[in-house]
Amino acid sequence: MRRLLFWVGFLGAALAQNKVTFTYDPPYGLEVRSVSLRGSFNGWAEQPMQKTPEGTWQVTLELPPGKVVYKFFINGQWPRDMCEDATFGTPQVDLEAQACEDDGQGGRNAVRVVGQVAELHLPENPGLEHDPTNPRFLSIAAQRLSLRLWAERPLRRATLWAERPYPMHPQLSTPQGTMWRAALPLGLRQYRIAVVDEGGREVVLGPYQVPQNPFRAVDWVAGRVGYQIFPERFHNGDPKNDLLALRNTQARFDRTWSGRLPYLSGWSDPPGEYHCCHQYFGGDLAGVLARLPHLTSLGVNLVYFNPLFEAGSAHGYDTHDYLRVSPKFGDNALLKRVLSEFRRRDIRVLFDFVPNHTGLGHWAFQDVVRRGPASPYWNWYYIRRWPFTPGDGRAYEGWAGLGSLPKLNTAHPAVQDYLIRVSEFWLAFGFDGIRVDVAGELDSGFVQRWRARLKAKWPDAYLVGEVWDLRPEYLRGDQFDSLMNYSLGRGGSPPAMGGILGYARGGPLQSGRRALSELSRVYAAYPEAVAAMGFNLIGSHDTPRVLTDLGGGGLRETPSAEALARLKLASAVLYALPGASFIFQGEECGFTGERGEWPVNELYRYPLQWERCRADVLQHYRLLGRLKVGLQAFRSPLFRSYLGEGPLLAFLRGEPGVGEVLAAFNNASASLRLPLPPGRWRDAVEGRVYQGQVALAGMGWRYLERVP
């Protein structure tokens, strides 16, 4: 028996609504610039809260009866624990929460129960979970129907019965249970699942119906070698456009600006105090074309561009014109040429879309500045008072409380229409997909409408959300195809240092067992369709340099041999995962940045000093690129647990018995021997065949193909 909550009054359209007020009362001494509410009732999208005269932050919503799970988002940060967090207030961030529960990230969400609740006991098969309407258990990838069963207790076997029996195989093992899986031909309509437990007892689940339109992977993403380009710091191919960066900077529109104006530096000049946002170095689209042979040598066939459009800063996340390439990079015609050259080489391209906020120079915000409440765009933003001084974050809602980034009201129909038209323009222009900035702060209704419109015209468009943590609710087929997989690469939001990066750092707490458990937890939570098109990464424009995180030192320092070996180990794990494996520009050269507090650690965006590119690291990434593209198993959606023991980590890729690859790693300094699965295994690099066991060098790795 399992206890389920049955909400009294849940009768379709007759469902009663309840007004619920959420209040955040900051502790004494904490400066609060912005607070929003996010929870299960709005798909964890952002619901801004308003500051009251008493200094608290409030919002009132109408909610149906039932359990709601939520967190406050304070000053652009998640509290780790809504019931006890020393940063955002103690003993309880929300004093009105009735309870807290595990958030899956090592912290806790707050819980409230809305309306009256009665308990209903429903019979079921304890410890077994399968729901064909949930893409976690049923989705389409690699033109096969992936069906999965979650078992909290050990099973002797599981069989899926359709027109004939299909054996299910254990796929993922975690401390909480095991995921079983089978891949079937498309066209299946009805099935049952028969399981036999360790005691020999048989249970039959079903019958189940296959949904009419299951969540489907964008198949072209599988097995891609991805590369992230931050164009202002990539390469200066046309010095003639450098000064254009200074024409429409934030300083022109920000009436609170004080101090030095934005300025242009030489490519190798030292970073200054404006390095983040207003020190320009001259990178452009001509530079991307000049370095195209470098990208192809790495096997790159998927590029993600940071913002290309006219904006008020070097980073470009304060958009002024969503439909115009920034003049400092070139123009729309040059971008068309870049996309054409990429297409000739089978390189797909994503653009960075910033629908959550604009820059001060955006035409709609400027109309509000001039006309106030008379502006037709007044409700496009969250204005607190008018008249106001542009740049004053107290007068209107800004991302993370910043006055330079006024927040768009993505629940407003006109804003939604505008942002959808922008997306349609660039997909028609020639892009293959979109990476969406701060996706978790958008209205979920907008994201669903946006996806439906784009997929109706471009079903193979690849839609990726910037969400750092493990969030299956965004990946159910109605919002994103993938999230940026920081959960795999780094264990989640900063300061997390788990996942691939944590394993590569080594040490007694970073065991293969922990790494395999973290990887398995992600792949058990996400649909296999999502795994097939995963946006996998360890570092990006928003993290310290991977080599620096692995002990490689600061911007001008020479990394040790051990740090370089750990970088190669981390990248080998990354390239072995399903989906696309992205590196941030310069990782392939062994470049470093800085650690510490912002703005020091922002030096991962320092211009690439190409003449200092390390040949040994570059050759390693070229090898990984060839293997990623060349091994058939790396185009499979399937990831299977094999071994996590001490420093050793190993997992299987590809369908059982059909072109499998065993990816094996050792994060210790000393050589160790790894026991192999039954059969013969050929090293994909050296060509030698092994059986029984194989040696892994200190901080070494192997990709081993099953020999038929």
Side-chain angles (χ1 to χ4, degrees):
M1 303 287 287
R2 182 176 64 178
R3 296 165 70 90
L4 299 179
L5 293 177
F6 178 79
W7 309 116
V8 173
F10 188 78
L11 297 172
L15 185 64
Q17 297 288 310
N18 298 263
K19 284 191 175 182
V20 183
T21 298
F22 295 84
T23 303
Y24 173 57
D25 189 358
Y28 179 77
L30 177 66
E31 181 185 357
V32 178
R33 301 180 301 277
S34 66
V35 185
S36 61
L37 174 70
R38 305 166 188 223
S40 56
F41 48 84
N42 67 351
W44 294 90
E46 182 173 38
Q47 175 64 55
M49 301 174 72
Q50 301 300 320
K51 190 173 183 180
T52 69
E54 293 76 26
T56 63
W57 296 73
Q58 284 189 340
V59 65
T60 299
L61 305 176
E62 288 193 351
L63 300 175
K67 172 184 170 183
V68 295
V69 181
Y70 62 95
K71 271 190 178 181
F72 297 145
F73 193 68
I74 307 164
N75 291 344
Q77 298 182 60
W78 294 102
R80 179 179 176 276
D81 189 331
M82 283 289 285
C83 279
E84 188 173 355
D85 194 300
T87 303
F88 296 111
T90 185
Q92 196 160 305
V93 178
D94 181 12
L95 299 176
E96 297 172 326
Q98 294 166 291
C100 279
E101 64 178 35
D102 181 29
D103 64 1
Q105 306 295 324
R108 290 188 295 174
N109 296 319
V111 176
R112 288 198 210 178
V113 175
V114 178
Q116 293 182 329
V117 179
E119 290 183 347
L120 180 68
H121 298 270
L122 296 178
E124 67 163 39
N125 297 288
L128 299 174
E129 188 176 358
H130 176 78
D131 178 0
T133 66
N134 184 341
R136 179 190 181 204
F137 300 107
L138 188 152
S139 63
I140 296 175
Q143 299 302 310
R144 303 277 285 179
L145 189 65
S146 166
L147 288 153
R148 304 201 299 176
L149 168 74
W150 177 252
E152 294 179 3
R153 65 183 192 271
L155 301 179
R156 186 180 295 176
R157 65 178 178 271
T159 306
L160 191 147
W161 289 86
E163 75 284 356
R164 67 176 179 83
Y166 294 87
M168 302 185 79
H169 299 279
Q171 178 197 2
L172 305 163
S173 295
T174 75
Q176 292 73 39
T178 300
M179 186 70 82
W180 291 68
R181 180 254 191 199
L184 282 72
L186 300 181
L188 180 70
R189 288 290 172 261
Q190 189 178 77
Y191 60 95
R192 289 179 170 85
I193 299 175
V195 303
V196 179
D197 67 16
E198 286 192 321
R201 292 179 296 272
E202 183 172 3
V203 174
V204 178
L205 308 178
Y208 297 110
Q209 299 291 330
V210 176
Q212 193 168 19
N213 293 300
F215 187 15
R216 182 185 293 265
V218 177
D219 283 334
W220 63 258
V221 178
R224 293 266 167 174
V225 178
Y227 192 92
Q228 180 184 350
I229 295 177
F230 192 89
E232 214 281 320
R233 310 288 167 83
F234 183 67
H235 184 65
N236 189 348
D238 183 7
K240 296 190 298 297
N241 60 25
D242 292 358
L243 284 172
L244 299 179
L246 305 180
R247 286 189 178 179
N248 287 306
T249 65
Q250 177 189 333
R252 175 181 168 188
F253 303 96
D254 190 341
R255 299 295 178 254
T256 68
W257 188 279
S258 61
R260 185 177 183 179
L261 292 175
Y263 60 96
L264 183 67
S265 293
W267 193 254
S268 300
D269 286 356
E273 60 177 331
Y274 281 8
H275 180 262
C276 152
C277 312
H278 302 292
Q279 181 182 12
Y280 293 89
F281 290 90
D284 49 33
L285 287 171
V288 174
L289 285 175
R291 292 289 171 182
L292 190 50
H294 172 79
L295 298 179
T296 56
S297 77
L298 293 167
V300 169
N301 50 17
L302 177 55
V303 165
Y304 153 44
F305 276 112
N306 286 113
L308 291 166
F309 313 125
E310 186 167 359
S313 66
H315 56 68
Y317 286 95
D318 50 350
T319 313
H320 290 175
D321 188 339
Y322 285 93
L323 299 179
R324 182 189 183 203
V325 169
S326 173
K328 65 180 178 290
F329 296 147
D331 55 24
N332 287 21
L334 180 56
L335 176 59
K336 177 71 80 171
R337 181 185 164 199
V338 169
L339 295 181
S340 176
E341 291 296 323
F342 280 178
R343 179 70 64 177
R344 287 180 52 223
R345 294 162 175 81
D346 188 34
I347 299 175
R348 304 285 188 126
V349 193
L350 313 180
F351 72 90
D352 210 334
F353 185 38
V354 191
N356 181 67
H357 47 268
T358 69
L360 297 177
H362 189 273
W363 49 266
F365 188 77
Q366 282 298 303
D367 195 81
V368 171
V369 171
R370 291 190 300 270
R371 301 167 64 185
S375 169
Y377 310 110
W378 174 261
N379 290 321
W380 282 36
Y381 297 91
Y382 297 95
I383 310 299
R384 297 189 184 122
R385 65 171 182 262
W386 188 83
F388 59 79
T389 302
D392 180 1
R394 298 168 299 179
Y396 46 85
E397 187 82 19
W399 179 78
L402 296 173
S404 59
L405 299 172
K407 180 174 171 55
L408 282 168
N409 177 8
T410 54
H412 194 289
V415 174
Q416 295 183 4
D417 290 343
Y418 169 65
L419 295 172
I420 290 170
R421 287 197 301 272
V422 168
S423 301
E424 290 175 331
F425 175 86
W426 289 115
L427 289 178
F429 190 86
F431 282 98
D432 301 285
I434 305 173
R435 179 267 190 186
V436 179
D437 187 55
V438 289
E441 301 191 19
L442 302 172
D443 177 77
S444 60
F446 160 64
V447 177
Q448 291 165 353
R449 184 176 171 226
W450 170 82
R451 177 190 176 88
R453 280 276 295 273
L454 299 187
K455 288 289 187 176
K457 294 183 180 180
W458 297 276
D460 283 339
Y462 181 40
L463 307 179
V464 179
E466 187 211 7
V467 177
W468 287 57
D469 297 314
L470 184 65
R471 296 290 179 184
E473 60 268 25
Y474 294 112
L475 300 170
R476 296 186 178 273
D478 63 345
Q479 296 193 54
F480 298 105
D481 295 322
S482 179
L483 306 179
M484 297 182 77
N485 264 331
Y486 290 103
S487 291
L488 290 171
R490 305 177 74 92
S493 298
M497 200 71 79
I500 297 169
L501 181 63
Y503 172 74
R505 283 165 62 94
L509 298 179
Q510 303 293 348
S511 67
R513 181 185 299 274
R514 174 179 172 178
L516 188 61
S517 177
E518 289 184 348
L519 293 170
S520 298
R521 182 172 68 98
V522 173
Y523 287 122
Y526 288 165
E528 194 157 281
V530 171
M533 50 182 171
F535 188 111
N536 305 321
L537 74 169
I538 309 173
S540 73
H541 67 296
D542 281 330
T543 72
R545 282 278 179 192
V546 173
L547 183 54
T548 295
D549 269 335
L550 293 172
L555 188 63
R556 303 292 186 183
E557 298 179 55
T558 300
S560 66
E562 178 179 342
L564 290 169
R566 294 197 181 279
L567 172 67
K568 294 174 183 178
L569 176 64
S571 55
V573 180
L574 174 70
Y575 272 62
L577 297 179
S581 302
F582 279 85
I583 61 172
F584 179 53
Q585 61 184 43
E587 283 179 28
E588 77 279 12
C589 289
F591 290 148
T592 53
E594 297 287 348
R595 287 192 58 77
E597 297 298 321
W598 189 89
V600 172
N601 66 6
E602 204 270 342
L603 297 185
Y604 41 77
R605 299 181 187 174
Y606 186 69
L608 301 189
Q609 306 302 305
W610 289 102
E611 71 283 357
R612 300 177 60 205
C613 188
R614 300 183 63 91
D616 60 322
V617 180
L618 183 59
Q619 289 304 317
H620 166 78
Y621 277 91
R622 287 173 173 168
L623 171 62
L624 289 182
R626 291 196 296 273
L627 294 170
K628 180 79 174 180
V629 173
L631 292 172
Q632 178 184 351
F634 283 177
R635 295 191 292 276
S636 165
L638 183 56
F639 172 102
R640 286 182 291 144
S641 304
Y642 174 63
L643 182 143
E645 186 175 316
L648 296 176
L649 167 67
F651 50 82
L652 289 155
R653 295 293 319 286
E655 295 294 333
V658 184
E660 289 173 283
V661 166
L662 177 70
F665 313 94
N666 172 19
N667 75 359
S669 300
S671 176
L672 294 171
R673 302 195 75 80
L674 174 81
L676 293 172
R680 301 166 67 232
W681 298 85
R682 180 187 297 110
D683 188 290
V685 177
E686 64 181 31
R688 182 178 173 183
V689 175
Y690 296 89
Q691 195 168 1
Q693 60 179 2
V694 67
L696 287 173
M699 292 173 282
W701 59 276
R702 292 181 188 267
Y703 297 159
L704 297 152
E705 297 179 274
R706 181 183 287 279
V707 178

